[in-house]
Every structure is written in C-alpha cells, then in structure tokens.
Amino acid sequence: MAQRKGSRADVKGPLILSTVMAVVAFAAVAIFATGGTDNALRLDLALIAAGIAFIATVVVSATLMIVERPNDPSLGQGTGVNRSSARLYAEARARRQREAAARRDGEAEFGRRVRPDTEGEDLLGRGPGAPDDGPATPRS
C-alpha cells in the first residue's frame, strides 16, 4: 500500500498533542498526589498518569484520523467483499419483481393458505364441528 506524501505531518500533530497531555498529567498528579508540602513528590504515580494520558491521546487521535479519511472509491466496485450494496439491492429487487410477476394464483403466498378448503381443520384433519375425543387421561 502506497503511503501518502506528508504522512509525517499527519503523525506529528497527534504526537505533540499527546506529549503535551502527558506533561500536564505528570505535573498535575505529581503535585496533587503529594498531599501537602510536608511530603515528597509522588513521581511514580505521576509517571504512570503521564503514560496513560499519552497512550490514551494517541489512540483517540489515531481513531479520529482513521474515521476522517475517506475510503478509496474503487472499494465499492468489484466482487467478493468489495461488492456494491446498491447494485446488490437493485438485483434483489428486480428478482423479487420478476418472481411476483411470474407467480401463479394457485401458489401460496405469505399469510395465505395453499388450499382454502382446509380452513379451520386441526392437525388430524378434523373440521371445526368434529367431535372431540375428550380430555387426555394421564397414564399410570
């Protein structure tokens, strides 16, 4: 994959911002974690906070740079994972319309019975007025 010209300029800004955020976090934690003027500076906590701030800012900046960068127009063409969804939708819609036009009256559709004369029958083929065998008795 070819890199764009000026990729150094793209990386330089987020690194400077991350460094500034790390310095601010280091200073703030070193001062506030001390707990007063009688105690020594907490450099261990300050270094940890600076590292976390640096990494978090780099990750957020990189994510924003990726989101901002538009996709290559050639990615919407072709086959496989690069197939165009608009073309796929148009093909599927045309296929559904052809199938609907070719559908005969006797074929079942969604929500319609294949044989309307079976209305009201249960699974055993008994009609709505058929006598019931009675309640099922449990086996002993």
Side-chain angles (χ1 to χ4, degrees), residues 17-130:
L17 176 67
S18 298
T19 304
V20 168
M21 293 298 290
V23 169
V24 168
F26 178 84
V29 170
I31 292 171
F32 294 120
T34 301
T37 56
D38 294 337
N39 301 326
L41 288 175
R42 294 292 310 260
L43 296 179
D44 55 342
L45 291 177
L47 286 172
I48 292 170
I52 291 172
F54 182 82
I55 292 171
T57 309
V58 165
V59 168
V60 168
S61 298
T63 304
L64 291 175
M65 288 172 63
I66 289 172
V67 169
E68 180 269 335
R69 191 169 298 153
N71 286 338
D72 188 16
S74 66
L75 291 178
Q77 309 297 323
T79 61
V81 295
N82 296 329
R83 295 180 75 177
S84 173
S85 61
R87 189 177 70 227
L88 291 175
Y89 174 73
E91 290 172 359
R93 185 175 179 192
R95 186 178 63 246
R96 284 193 309 266
Q97 289 174 347
R98 282 191 310 269
E99 290 172 358
R103 189 175 295 144
R104 297 186 319 250
D105 289 335
E107 288 187 29
E109 293 181 20
F110 180 74
R112 202 175 97 189
R113 293 182 181 265
V114 176
R115 295 184 347 219
D117 60 329
T118 60
E119 189 171 324
E121 290 181 355
D122 62 4
L123 294 175
L124 299 175
R126 295 180 297 202

